[in-house]
Amino acid sequence: MLNPATEKSLSKLMSKMLRHTPEDFRLVLDPADGSCPVDSLLKAIRAQAKWSWVSREDIEQVVRNSDKQRFVIEDDRIRARYGHSHDRVTYTPGEPPAVLYHGTNKNALPSILKEGLHPMSRQYVHLSEGTHFATLAGSRRGELVILKIDTRGAERLGVTFYFAGNEVWLADRVPPECCSI
């Protein structure tokens, strides 16, 4: 069993491999969903001298304990749920709750209320069903503000929402009239 510090460090490596630079680790991800066989990830991790001892159980522990449920294992394949900076991963459109939440920095609020939410350097705008994940995401950016997103109004304006799993929803954008404090 991994201690908390080692688990966090391995989670960061897995994020780098599955979300950001898989090619740096000779990891080939399925272009449709960003997944790869768990054994391929394990081999890529073990190729790093510091991580040569990692087991499949260690990977499963990271998946199970991730605070934001960043990873999922299905049919012996693993993928990051969201946050990819490599090829755009596609998700199936879904019907979100009437209100979703987005955590952001207070300094960004005037721009958001004027221009709406945009993915910036990400592929999608990340939203959550509750304030817990919105708080986790937004607290990294300074003084936290939680926005309420009117999903029905956004849908009327042409926004499509995608369910990424574990209370996380994605959108290409959210118009300013659908964002409130």
Side-chain angles (χ1 to χ4, degrees), residues 2 6-22 27 29 33-38 41-42 45 56-86 91 126 133 164-168:
L2 302 173
T6 303
E7 182 180 307
K8 183 176 181 177
S9 186
L10 179 57
S11 178
K12 287 182 178 186
L13 176 63
M14 289 168 53
S15 286
K16 187 172 185 178
M17 292 176 151
L18 294 171
R19 294 171 61 189
H20 303 298
T21 57
L27 200 56
L29 304 181
D33 69 357
S35 72
C36 70
V38 175
L41 178 65
L42 180 58
I45 290 170
R56 183 184 178 103
E57 291 75 26
D58 296 326
I59 291 172
E60 291 170 352
Q61 178 182 336
V62 169
V63 171
R64 190 173 48 252
N65 294 343
S66 175
D67 60 346
K68 293 183 185 176
Q69 296 295 295
R70 288 181 169 91
F71 313 103
V72 63
I73 296 176
E74 296 170 333
D75 300 324
D76 209 34
R77 297 182 67 82
I78 187 168
R79 66 179 173 86
R81 287 187 192 266
Y82 35 74
H84 301 84
S85 36
H86 54 85
Y91 295 89
H126 291 219
F133 284 134
N166 199 48
E167 299 185 26
V168 175

Short mmCIF file of all heavy atoms in Angstrom, two decimals, residues 2 6-22 27 29 33-38 41-42 45 56-86 91 126 133 164-168:
data_model
loop_
_atom_site.label_atom_id
_atom_site.label_comp_id
_atom_site.label_asym_id
_atom_site.label_seq_id
_atom_site.Cartn_x
_atom_site.Cartn_y
_atom_site.Cartn_z
N LEU A 2 0.55 2.18 -0.86
CA LEU A 2 1.32 3.42 -0.98
C LEU A 2 1.01 4.36 0.17
O LEU A 2 -0.14 4.47 0.59
CB LEU A 2 0.97 4.12 -2.29
CG LEU A 2 1.19 3.35 -3.58
CD1 LEU A 2 0.63 4.13 -4.76
CD2 LEU A 2 2.65 3.03 -3.79
N THR A 6 3.57 9.26 -1.62
CA THR A 6 3.94 8.48 -2.80
C THR A 6 2.73 8.33 -3.72
O THR A 6 2.86 8.42 -4.95
CB THR A 6 4.48 7.09 -2.38
OG1 THR A 6 5.59 7.30 -1.50
CG2 THR A 6 4.91 6.28 -3.58
N GLU A 7 1.56 8.13 -3.14
CA GLU A 7 0.34 8.03 -3.93
C GLU A 7 0.11 9.31 -4.73
O GLU A 7 -0.21 9.27 -5.93
CB GLU A 7 -0.84 7.75 -3.01
CG GLU A 7 -2.15 7.57 -3.74
CD GLU A 7 -3.30 7.29 -2.78
OE1 GLU A 7 -3.19 6.36 -1.95
OE2 GLU A 7 -4.31 8.01 -2.88
N LYS A 8 0.29 10.44 -4.09
CA LYS A 8 0.10 11.73 -4.78
C LYS A 8 1.11 11.90 -5.90
O LYS A 8 0.77 12.35 -7.00
CB LYS A 8 0.22 12.88 -3.77
CG LYS A 8 -0.04 14.24 -4.38
CD LYS A 8 -0.01 15.33 -3.32
CE LYS A 8 -0.30 16.68 -3.92
NZ LYS A 8 -0.35 17.74 -2.90
N SER A 9 2.34 11.53 -5.64
CA SER A 9 3.39 11.65 -6.66
C SER A 9 3.12 10.74 -7.85
O SER A 9 3.28 11.14 -9.01
CB SER A 9 4.75 11.32 -6.02
OG SER A 9 5.79 11.56 -6.91
N LEU A 10 2.68 9.50 -7.58
CA LEU A 10 2.34 8.58 -8.67
C LEU A 10 1.13 9.10 -9.44
O LEU A 10 1.09 9.01 -10.67
CB LEU A 10 2.07 7.18 -8.12
CG LEU A 10 1.69 6.11 -9.15
CD1 LEU A 10 2.75 5.99 -10.25
CD2 LEU A 10 1.47 4.77 -8.45
N SER A 11 0.16 9.68 -8.76
CA SER A 11 -1.00 10.26 -9.43
C SER A 11 -0.58 11.37 -10.39
O SER A 11 -1.10 11.47 -11.51
CB SER A 11 -1.98 10.81 -8.39
OG SER A 11 -3.09 11.42 -9.02
N LYS A 12 0.36 12.19 -9.98
CA LYS A 12 0.86 13.27 -10.85
C LYS A 12 1.54 12.68 -12.09
O LYS A 12 1.36 13.18 -13.21
CB LYS A 12 1.81 14.18 -10.09
CG LYS A 12 1.10 15.08 -9.11
CD LYS A 12 2.07 16.00 -8.40
CE LYS A 12 1.32 16.92 -7.46
NZ LYS A 12 2.19 17.93 -6.86
N LEU A 13 2.32 11.62 -11.91
CA LEU A 13 2.96 10.97 -13.05
C LEU A 13 1.90 10.39 -13.99
O LEU A 13 1.98 10.56 -15.21
CB LEU A 13 3.92 9.88 -12.58
CG LEU A 13 4.59 9.07 -13.70
CD1 LEU A 13 5.47 9.95 -14.59
CD2 LEU A 13 5.40 7.92 -13.10
N MET A 14 0.91 9.73 -13.44
CA MET A 14 -0.15 9.16 -14.26
C MET A 14 -0.91 10.25 -15.01
O MET A 14 -1.28 10.07 -16.17
CB MET A 14 -1.10 8.33 -13.39
CG MET A 14 -0.49 7.04 -12.90
SD MET A 14 -1.45 6.17 -11.60
CE MET A 14 -3.07 6.03 -12.34
N SER A 15 -1.13 11.40 -14.38
CA SER A 15 -1.78 12.53 -15.06
C SER A 15 -0.93 13.00 -16.23
O SER A 15 -1.45 13.26 -17.32
CB SER A 15 -2.01 13.69 -14.09
OG SER A 15 -3.05 13.40 -13.21
N LYS A 16 0.35 13.11 -16.00
CA LYS A 16 1.25 13.54 -17.07
C LYS A 16 1.18 12.55 -18.23
O LYS A 16 1.11 12.94 -19.40
CB LYS A 16 2.67 13.66 -16.54
CG LYS A 16 3.64 14.25 -17.53
CD LYS A 16 4.98 14.52 -16.89
CE LYS A 16 5.88 15.23 -17.88
NZ LYS A 16 7.18 15.56 -17.31
N MET A 17 1.17 11.27 -17.91
CA MET A 17 1.16 10.24 -18.95
C MET A 17 -0.17 10.16 -19.68
O MET A 17 -0.20 10.01 -20.90
CB MET A 17 1.47 8.87 -18.33
CG MET A 17 2.88 8.75 -17.84
SD MET A 17 3.11 7.14 -17.04
CE MET A 17 4.86 6.89 -17.36
N LEU A 18 -1.27 10.24 -18.95
CA LEU A 18 -2.59 10.03 -19.55
C LEU A 18 -3.28 11.31 -19.99
O LEU A 18 -4.21 11.26 -20.81
CB LEU A 18 -3.50 9.28 -18.57
CG LEU A 18 -3.08 7.85 -18.26
CD1 LEU A 18 -3.92 7.29 -17.11
CD2 LEU A 18 -3.19 6.96 -19.49
N ARG A 19 -2.86 12.46 -19.46
CA ARG A 19 -3.55 13.71 -19.78
C ARG A 19 -2.73 14.66 -20.63
O ARG A 19 -3.30 15.46 -21.38
CB ARG A 19 -3.94 14.44 -18.49
CG ARG A 19 -4.97 13.72 -17.66
CD ARG A 19 -5.17 14.35 -16.30
NE ARG A 19 -5.64 15.72 -16.41
CZ ARG A 19 -5.74 16.55 -15.39
NH1 ARG A 19 -5.39 16.16 -14.18
NH2 ARG A 19 -6.18 17.77 -15.54
N HIS A 20 -1.42 14.64 -20.47
CA HIS A 20 -0.64 15.72 -21.06
C HIS A 20 0.36 15.28 -22.13
O HIS A 20 0.31 15.78 -23.25
CB HIS A 20 0.06 16.51 -19.97
CG HIS A 20 -0.90 17.07 -18.96
ND1 HIS A 20 -1.88 17.97 -19.29
CD2 HIS A 20 -1.06 16.81 -17.64
CE1 HIS A 20 -2.59 18.26 -18.22
NE2 HIS A 20 -2.12 17.57 -17.20
N THR A 21 1.29 14.40 -21.81
CA THR A 21 2.34 14.06 -22.78
C THR A 21 2.56 12.55 -22.88
O THR A 21 3.64 12.04 -22.59
CB THR A 21 3.66 14.74 -22.40
OG1 THR A 21 4.03 14.35 -21.07
CG2 THR A 21 3.57 16.26 -22.49
N PRO A 22 1.55 11.81 -23.32
CA PRO A 22 1.72 10.35 -23.43
C PRO A 22 2.86 9.97 -24.37
O PRO A 22 3.56 8.98 -24.13
CB PRO A 22 0.36 9.87 -23.95
CG PRO A 22 -0.28 11.06 -24.56
CD PRO A 22 0.24 12.25 -23.80
N LEU A 27 3.58 6.05 -24.87
CA LEU A 27 2.27 5.52 -24.53
C LEU A 27 1.30 5.92 -25.64
O LEU A 27 1.20 7.10 -25.99
CB LEU A 27 1.83 6.11 -23.19
CG LEU A 27 0.76 5.40 -22.40
CD1 LEU A 27 1.12 3.95 -22.12
CD2 LEU A 27 0.54 6.12 -21.07
N LEU A 29 -2.46 6.26 -26.79
CA LEU A 29 -3.82 6.34 -26.26
C LEU A 29 -4.83 6.22 -27.40
O LEU A 29 -4.60 6.72 -28.50
CB LEU A 29 -4.04 7.66 -25.53
CG LEU A 29 -3.07 7.98 -24.39
CD1 LEU A 29 -3.43 9.31 -23.75
CD2 LEU A 29 -3.03 6.86 -23.37
N ASP A 33 -11.23 7.78 -26.85
CA ASP A 33 -11.52 8.01 -25.44
C ASP A 33 -10.29 8.27 -24.57
O ASP A 33 -10.40 8.46 -23.37
CB ASP A 33 -12.33 6.85 -24.85
CG ASP A 33 -11.55 5.55 -24.74
OD1 ASP A 33 -10.38 5.49 -25.16
OD2 ASP A 33 -12.13 4.57 -24.22
N GLY A 34 -9.12 8.28 -25.17
CA GLY A 34 -7.90 8.57 -24.41
C GLY A 34 -7.45 7.43 -23.51
O GLY A 34 -6.64 7.65 -22.61
N SER A 35 -7.92 6.22 -23.75
CA SER A 35 -7.56 5.09 -22.88
C SER A 35 -6.39 4.28 -23.45
O SER A 35 -6.04 4.41 -24.63
CB SER A 35 -8.76 4.16 -22.70
OG SER A 35 -9.02 3.44 -23.89
N CYS A 36 -5.82 3.45 -22.59
CA CYS A 36 -4.81 2.49 -22.99
C CYS A 36 -4.93 1.28 -22.07
O CYS A 36 -5.54 1.38 -21.00
CB CYS A 36 -3.40 3.08 -22.93
SG CYS A 36 -2.78 3.39 -21.26
N PRO A 37 -4.36 0.15 -22.46
CA PRO A 37 -4.39 -0.99 -21.54
C PRO A 37 -3.66 -0.66 -20.24
O PRO A 37 -2.63 0.03 -20.25
CB PRO A 37 -3.65 -2.09 -22.31
CG PRO A 37 -3.79 -1.70 -23.75
CD PRO A 37 -3.77 -0.19 -23.75
N VAL A 38 -4.19 -1.13 -19.12
CA VAL A 38 -3.55 -0.88 -17.82
C VAL A 38 -2.11 -1.40 -17.86
O VAL A 38 -1.20 -0.75 -17.35
CB VAL A 38 -4.34 -1.53 -16.66
CG1 VAL A 38 -3.61 -1.37 -15.34
CG2 VAL A 38 -5.74 -0.93 -16.57
N LEU A 41 0.24 1.14 -19.39
CA LEU A 41 0.57 2.21 -18.46
C LEU A 41 1.57 1.71 -17.43
O LEU A 41 2.55 2.40 -17.13
CB LEU A 41 -0.68 2.75 -17.76
CG LEU A 41 -0.42 3.84 -16.72
CD1 LEU A 41 0.15 5.10 -17.37
CD2 LEU A 41 -1.69 4.16 -15.95
N LEU A 42 1.34 0.52 -16.90
CA LEU A 42 2.25 -0.05 -15.90
C LEU A 42 3.66 -0.17 -16.47
O LEU A 42 4.65 0.19 -15.81
CB LEU A 42 1.73 -1.41 -15.43
CG LEU A 42 2.58 -2.14 -14.39
CD1 LEU A 42 2.76 -1.30 -13.12
CD2 LEU A 42 1.94 -3.49 -14.06
N ILE A 45 5.22 3.28 -16.67
CA ILE A 45 5.60 3.77 -15.34
C ILE A 45 6.87 3.08 -14.88
O ILE A 45 7.81 3.72 -14.42
CB ILE A 45 4.45 3.55 -14.33
CG1 ILE A 45 3.27 4.47 -14.65
CG2 ILE A 45 4.94 3.78 -12.89
CD1 ILE A 45 2.00 4.17 -13.86
N ARG A 56 0.47 -3.18 -10.34
CA ARG A 56 -0.89 -2.88 -10.82
C ARG A 56 -1.77 -2.44 -9.64
O ARG A 56 -2.60 -1.55 -9.78
CB ARG A 56 -1.48 -4.11 -11.50
CG ARG A 56 -2.85 -3.86 -12.08
CD ARG A 56 -3.43 -5.13 -12.66
NE ARG A 56 -4.76 -4.89 -13.16
CZ ARG A 56 -5.07 -4.75 -14.44
NH1 ARG A 56 -4.14 -4.87 -15.35
NH2 ARG A 56 -6.31 -4.52 -14.80
N GLU A 57 -1.58 -3.06 -8.48
CA GLU A 57 -2.36 -2.69 -7.29
C GLU A 57 -2.10 -1.23 -6.89
O GLU A 57 -3.00 -0.55 -6.42
CB GLU A 57 -2.03 -3.62 -6.12
CG GLU A 57 -2.53 -5.04 -6.31
CD GLU A 57 -1.70 -5.87 -7.31
OE1 GLU A 57 -0.49 -5.58 -7.51
OE2 GLU A 57 -2.28 -6.80 -7.90
N ASP A 58 -0.86 -0.75 -7.09
CA ASP A 58 -0.55 0.65 -6.79
C ASP A 58 -1.34 1.58 -7.71
O ASP A 58 -1.88 2.60 -7.27
CB ASP A 58 0.95 0.91 -6.94
CG ASP A 58 1.79 0.12 -5.94
OD1 ASP A 58 1.33 -0.10 -4.80
OD2 ASP A 58 2.91 -0.29 -6.32
N ILE A 59 -1.40 1.23 -8.99
CA ILE A 59 -2.18 2.03 -9.94
C ILE A 59 -3.65 2.03 -9.53
O ILE A 59 -4.31 3.08 -9.52
CB ILE A 59 -2.01 1.49 -11.38
CG1 ILE A 59 -0.58 1.75 -11.87
CG2 ILE A 59 -3.03 2.12 -12.33
CD1 ILE A 59 -0.24 1.10 -13.20
N GLU A 60 -4.17 0.86 -9.17
CA GLU A 60 -5.57 0.76 -8.76
C GLU A 60 -5.84 1.58 -7.50
O GLU A 60 -6.91 2.17 -7.35
CB GLU A 60 -5.95 -0.70 -8.57
CG GLU A 60 -6.00 -1.47 -9.88
CD GLU A 60 -6.13 -2.97 -9.72
OE1 GLU A 60 -6.04 -3.49 -8.57
OE2 GLU A 60 -6.33 -3.64 -10.75
N GLN A 61 -4.87 1.65 -6.59
CA GLN A 61 -5.02 2.46 -5.38
C GLN A 61 -5.14 3.94 -5.75
O GLN A 61 -5.98 4.66 -5.22
CB GLN A 61 -3.84 2.24 -4.43
CG GLN A 61 -3.91 3.10 -3.17
CD GLN A 61 -2.71 2.92 -2.26
OE1 GLN A 61 -2.03 1.90 -2.28
NE2 GLN A 61 -2.43 3.94 -1.46
N VAL A 62 -4.30 4.40 -6.67
CA VAL A 62 -4.36 5.80 -7.11
C VAL A 62 -5.72 6.09 -7.73
O VAL A 62 -6.35 7.11 -7.43
CB VAL A 62 -3.21 6.12 -8.09
CG1 VAL A 62 -3.42 7.47 -8.76
CG2 VAL A 62 -1.87 6.08 -7.38
N VAL A 63 -6.20 5.19 -8.59
CA VAL A 63 -7.51 5.38 -9.22
C VAL A 63 -8.61 5.45 -8.17
O VAL A 63 -9.46 6.33 -8.20
CB VAL A 63 -7.79 4.24 -10.24
CG1 VAL A 63 -9.22 4.30 -10.74
CG2 VAL A 63 -6.80 4.31 -11.40
N ARG A 64 -8.58 4.55 -7.23
CA ARG A 64 -9.61 4.46 -6.19
C ARG A 64 -9.61 5.68 -5.27
O ARG A 64 -10.67 6.16 -4.86
CB ARG A 64 -9.36 3.18 -5.38
CG ARG A 64 -10.42 2.78 -4.42
CD ARG A 64 -10.15 1.41 -3.79
NE ARG A 64 -8.80 1.21 -3.27
CZ ARG A 64 -7.86 0.43 -3.84
NH1 ARG A 64 -8.11 -0.23 -4.95
NH2 ARG A 64 -6.66 0.31 -3.30
N ASN A 65 -8.43 6.21 -4.94
CA ASN A 65 -8.33 7.26 -3.92
C ASN A 65 -8.23 8.68 -4.46
O ASN A 65 -8.18 9.62 -3.68
CB ASN A 65 -7.11 7.00 -3.03
CG ASN A 65 -7.28 5.73 -2.21
OD1 ASN A 65 -8.37 5.22 -2.04
ND2 ASN A 65 -6.16 5.22 -1.71
N SER A 66 -8.20 8.87 -5.75
CA SER A 66 -8.05 10.20 -6.33
C SER A 66 -9.17 11.13 -5.86
O SER A 66 -10.36 10.82 -6.02
CB SER A 66 -8.05 10.12 -7.85
OG SER A 66 -8.02 11.41 -8.41
N ASP A 67 -8.81 12.27 -5.26
CA ASP A 67 -9.81 13.20 -4.71
C ASP A 67 -10.79 13.68 -5.76
O ASP A 67 -11.96 13.90 -5.47
CB ASP A 67 -9.13 14.37 -3.99
CG ASP A 67 -8.23 15.20 -4.89
OD1 ASP A 67 -7.89 14.75 -6.00
OD2 ASP A 67 -7.83 16.30 -4.46
N LYS A 68 -10.35 13.85 -6.98
CA LYS A 68 -11.24 14.31 -8.04
C LYS A 68 -11.66 13.18 -8.98
O LYS A 68 -12.23 13.44 -10.03
CB LYS A 68 -10.56 15.41 -8.86
CG LYS A 68 -10.32 16.68 -8.10
CD LYS A 68 -9.72 17.71 -9.04
CE LYS A 68 -9.34 18.96 -8.30
NZ LYS A 68 -8.68 19.92 -9.20
N GLN A 69 -11.34 11.95 -8.58
CA GLN A 69 -11.65 10.79 -9.44
C GLN A 69 -11.14 11.04 -10.86
O GLN A 69 -11.88 10.96 -11.83
CB GLN A 69 -13.16 10.50 -9.42
CG GLN A 69 -13.67 10.10 -8.06
CD GLN A 69 -13.09 8.77 -7.60
OE1 GLN A 69 -13.34 7.75 -8.20
NE2 GLN A 69 -12.28 8.80 -6.56
N ARG A 70 -9.86 11.35 -10.95
CA ARG A 70 -9.24 11.72 -12.22
C ARG A 70 -9.17 10.58 -13.23
O ARG A 70 -9.09 10.82 -14.43
CB ARG A 70 -7.82 12.22 -11.97
CG ARG A 70 -7.74 13.55 -11.32
CD ARG A 70 -6.28 13.96 -11.13
NE ARG A 70 -6.17 15.34 -10.75
CZ ARG A 70 -6.15 15.74 -9.48
NH1 ARG A 70 -6.23 14.87 -8.50
NH2 ARG A 70 -6.07 17.02 -9.20
N PHE A 71 -9.15 9.34 -12.75
CA PHE A 71 -8.94 8.20 -13.63
C PHE A 71 -10.07 7.19 -13.49
O PHE A 71 -10.74 7.13 -12.47
CB PHE A 71 -7.62 7.49 -13.27
CG PHE A 71 -6.46 8.42 -13.11
CD1 PHE A 71 -6.01 8.77 -11.84
CD2 PHE A 71 -5.81 8.97 -14.21
CE1 PHE A 71 -4.94 9.63 -11.67
CE2 PHE A 71 -4.75 9.85 -14.05
CZ PHE A 71 -4.31 10.17 -12.78
N VAL A 72 -10.23 6.39 -14.53
CA VAL A 72 -11.20 5.30 -14.50
C VAL A 72 -10.59 4.09 -15.20
O VAL A 72 -9.89 4.24 -16.20
CB VAL A 72 -12.54 5.72 -15.14
CG1 VAL A 72 -12.41 6.06 -16.60
CG2 VAL A 72 -13.62 4.68 -14.91
N ILE A 73 -10.86 2.91 -14.65
CA ILE A 73 -10.46 1.66 -15.28
C ILE A 73 -11.73 0.93 -15.68
O ILE A 73 -12.61 0.69 -14.86
CB ILE A 73 -9.63 0.77 -14.32
CG1 ILE A 73 -8.32 1.46 -13.96
CG2 ILE A 73 -9.37 -0.60 -14.97
CD1 ILE A 73 -7.47 0.71 -12.94
N GLU A 74 -11.82 0.60 -16.98
CA GLU A 74 -12.95 -0.14 -17.52
C GLU A 74 -12.43 -1.15 -18.52
O GLU A 74 -11.63 -0.79 -19.40
CB GLU A 74 -13.95 0.79 -18.23
CG GLU A 74 -14.62 1.80 -17.33
CD GLU A 74 -15.41 2.86 -18.09
OE1 GLU A 74 -15.06 3.14 -19.26
OE2 GLU A 74 -16.35 3.40 -17.51
N ASP A 75 -12.87 -2.39 -18.43
CA ASP A 75 -12.47 -3.43 -19.38
C ASP A 75 -10.96 -3.53 -19.54
O ASP A 75 -10.44 -3.60 -20.66
CB ASP A 75 -13.14 -3.21 -20.75
CG ASP A 75 -14.65 -3.22 -20.66
OD1 ASP A 75 -15.17 -4.02 -19.86
OD2 ASP A 75 -15.30 -2.44 -21.37
N ASP A 76 -10.24 -3.46 -18.43
CA ASP A 76 -8.79 -3.59 -18.39
C ASP A 76 -8.07 -2.45 -19.14
O ASP A 76 -6.93 -2.59 -19.57
CB ASP A 76 -8.34 -4.95 -18.93
CG ASP A 76 -7.04 -5.39 -18.30
OD1 ASP A 76 -6.81 -5.09 -17.10
OD2 ASP A 76 -6.22 -6.02 -19.00
N ARG A 77 -8.77 -1.31 -19.29
CA ARG A 77 -8.19 -0.12 -19.90
C ARG A 77 -8.31 1.03 -18.90
O ARG A 77 -9.28 1.10 -18.14
CB ARG A 77 -8.87 0.24 -21.22
CG ARG A 77 -8.69 -0.86 -22.27
CD ARG A 77 -9.33 -0.49 -23.59
NE ARG A 77 -8.66 0.62 -24.26
CZ ARG A 77 -7.57 0.51 -25.00
NH1 ARG A 77 -6.98 -0.65 -25.17
NH2 ARG A 77 -7.05 1.58 -25.58
N ILE A 78 -7.35 1.93 -18.92
CA ILE A 78 -7.36 3.07 -18.02
C ILE A 78 -7.35 4.36 -18.84
O ILE A 78 -6.75 4.41 -19.91
CB ILE A 78 -6.15 3.03 -17.04
CG1 ILE A 78 -6.26 4.14 -16.00
CG2 ILE A 78 -4.82 3.05 -17.81
CD1 ILE A 78 -5.27 3.99 -14.84
N ARG A 79 -8.02 5.36 -18.33
CA ARG A 79 -8.02 6.67 -18.98
C ARG A 79 -8.20 7.75 -17.92
O ARG A 79 -8.70 7.50 -16.83
CB ARG A 79 -9.11 6.79 -20.03
CG ARG A 79 -10.51 6.76 -19.46
CD ARG A 79 -11.56 6.90 -20.55
NE ARG A 79 -12.89 6.70 -20.02
CZ ARG A 79 -13.63 7.65 -19.46
NH1 ARG A 79 -13.18 8.88 -19.36
NH2 ARG A 79 -14.84 7.38 -18.99
N ALA A 80 -7.77 8.95 -18.27
CA ALA A 80 -8.07 10.12 -17.46
C ALA A 80 -9.49 10.53 -17.82
O ALA A 80 -9.87 10.50 -18.99
CB ALA A 80 -7.09 11.24 -17.74
N ARG A 81 -10.28 10.89 -16.83
CA ARG A 81 -11.67 11.27 -17.10
C ARG A 81 -11.76 12.59 -17.86
O ARG A 81 -12.65 12.79 -18.67
CB ARG A 81 -12.44 11.43 -15.80
CG ARG A 81 -12.77 10.15 -15.11
CD ARG A 81 -13.70 10.45 -13.93
NE ARG A 81 -13.84 9.33 -13.05
CZ ARG A 81 -14.82 8.43 -13.14
NH1 ARG A 81 -15.72 8.55 -14.07
NH2 ARG A 81 -14.88 7.44 -12.28
N TYR A 82 -10.87 13.53 -17.58
CA TYR A 82 -10.95 14.87 -18.16
C TYR A 82 -9.60 15.55 -18.00
O TYR A 82 -8.71 15.04 -17.36
CB TYR A 82 -12.04 15.71 -17.47
CG TYR A 82 -12.17 15.42 -15.99
CD1 TYR A 82 -11.22 15.88 -15.07
CD2 TYR A 82 -13.20 14.64 -15.52
CE1 TYR A 82 -11.33 15.58 -13.72
CE2 TYR A 82 -13.31 14.33 -14.17
CZ TYR A 82 -12.38 14.82 -13.28
OH TYR A 82 -12.47 14.52 -11.95
N GLY A 83 -9.47 16.73 -18.61
CA GLY A 83 -8.26 17.52 -18.46
C GLY A 83 -7.16 17.19 -19.44
O GLY A 83 -6.01 17.52 -19.22
N HIS A 84 -7.50 16.55 -20.57
CA HIS A 84 -6.48 16.19 -21.54
C HIS A 84 -5.95 17.42 -22.27
O HIS A 84 -6.70 18.31 -22.64
CB HIS A 84 -7.07 15.23 -22.58
CG HIS A 84 -7.60 13.98 -21.98
ND1 HIS A 84 -8.88 13.91 -21.46
CD2 HIS A 84 -7.05 12.76 -21.79
CE1 HIS A 84 -9.08 12.69 -21.00
NE2 HIS A 84 -8.00 11.98 -21.18
N SER A 85 -4.65 17.44 -22.50
CA SER A 85 -4.10 18.52 -23.32
C SER A 85 -3.55 17.97 -24.62
O SER A 85 -3.08 18.72 -25.45
CB SER A 85 -3.04 19.32 -22.56
OG SER A 85 -2.27 18.56 -21.71
N HIS A 86 -3.66 16.67 -24.85
CA HIS A 86 -3.28 16.09 -26.13
C HIS A 86 -4.54 16.03 -27.00
O HIS A 86 -5.38 16.91 -26.91
CB HIS A 86 -2.62 14.72 -25.94
CG HIS A 86 -3.43 13.75 -25.15
ND1 HIS A 86 -4.41 12.97 -25.70
CD2 HIS A 86 -3.44 13.47 -23.83
CE1 HIS A 86 -4.98 12.23 -24.77
NE2 HIS A 86 -4.42 12.51 -23.62
N TYR A 91 -16.83 12.92 -25.87
CA TYR A 91 -17.76 12.45 -24.86
C TYR A 91 -19.16 12.45 -25.46
O TYR A 91 -19.45 13.21 -26.39
CB TYR A 91 -17.76 13.37 -23.63
CG TYR A 91 -16.44 13.40 -22.89
CD1 TYR A 91 -15.45 14.31 -23.24
CD2 TYR A 91 -16.20 12.51 -21.85
CE1 TYR A 91 -14.24 14.33 -22.56
CE2 TYR A 91 -14.99 12.54 -21.17
CZ TYR A 91 -14.02 13.44 -21.53
OH TYR A 91 -12.83 13.46 -20.85
N HIS A 126 -14.90 22.97 -17.45
CA HIS A 126 -15.21 21.93 -16.46
C HIS A 126 -16.24 22.47 -15.46
O HIS A 126 -16.04 23.54 -14.89
CB HIS A 126 -13.95 21.51 -15.71
CG HIS A 126 -12.99 20.76 -16.57
ND1 HIS A 126 -12.28 19.69 -16.12
CD2 HIS A 126 -12.62 20.92 -17.86
CE1 HIS A 126 -11.52 19.22 -17.09
NE2 HIS A 126 -11.71 19.97 -18.15
N PHE A 133 -16.44 19.69 -5.89
CA PHE A 133 -15.43 19.66 -6.95
C PHE A 133 -15.15 21.07 -7.48
O PHE A 133 -14.01 21.38 -7.83
CB PHE A 133 -15.83 18.73 -8.10
CG PHE A 133 -15.65 17.28 -7.77
CD1 PHE A 133 -16.64 16.36 -8.06
CD2 PHE A 133 -14.49 16.82 -7.16
CE1 PHE A 133 -16.47 15.01 -7.76
CE2 PHE A 133 -14.32 15.48 -6.86
CZ PHE A 133 -15.32 14.57 -7.15
N ALA A 164 -18.61 13.63 -17.93
CA ALA A 164 -17.28 13.03 -17.88
C ALA A 164 -17.16 11.99 -16.78
O ALA A 164 -16.15 11.32 -16.66
CB ALA A 164 -16.22 14.12 -17.69
N GLY A 165 -18.19 11.88 -15.95
CA GLY A 165 -18.17 10.93 -14.85
C GLY A 165 -17.93 11.61 -13.53
O GLY A 165 -17.38 12.72 -13.46
N ASN A 166 -18.35 10.94 -12.46
CA ASN A 166 -18.13 11.41 -11.10
C ASN A 166 -18.49 12.87 -10.87
O ASN A 166 -17.69 13.66 -10.38
CB ASN A 166 -16.68 11.15 -10.68
CG ASN A 166 -16.53 11.20 -9.18
OD1 ASN A 166 -17.31 10.58 -8.47
ND2 ASN A 166 -15.58 11.95 -8.70
N GLU A 167 -19.70 13.24 -11.25
CA GLU A 167 -20.27 14.57 -11.03
C GLU A 167 -19.65 15.67 -11.88
O GLU A 167 -19.94 16.85 -11.69
CB GLU A 167 -20.17 14.99 -9.55
CG GLU A 167 -20.92 14.09 -8.60
CD GLU A 167 -20.89 14.60 -7.18
OE1 GLU A 167 -20.74 15.82 -6.97
OE2 GLU A 167 -21.03 13.77 -6.26
N VAL A 168 -18.78 15.33 -12.82
CA VAL A 168 -18.12 16.34 -13.66
C VAL A 168 -18.79 16.38 -15.03
O VAL A 168 -19.00 15.36 -15.67
CB VAL A 168 -16.61 16.05 -13.81
CG1 VAL A 168 -15.96 17.03 -14.78
CG2 VAL A 168 -15.93 16.12 -12.45
#
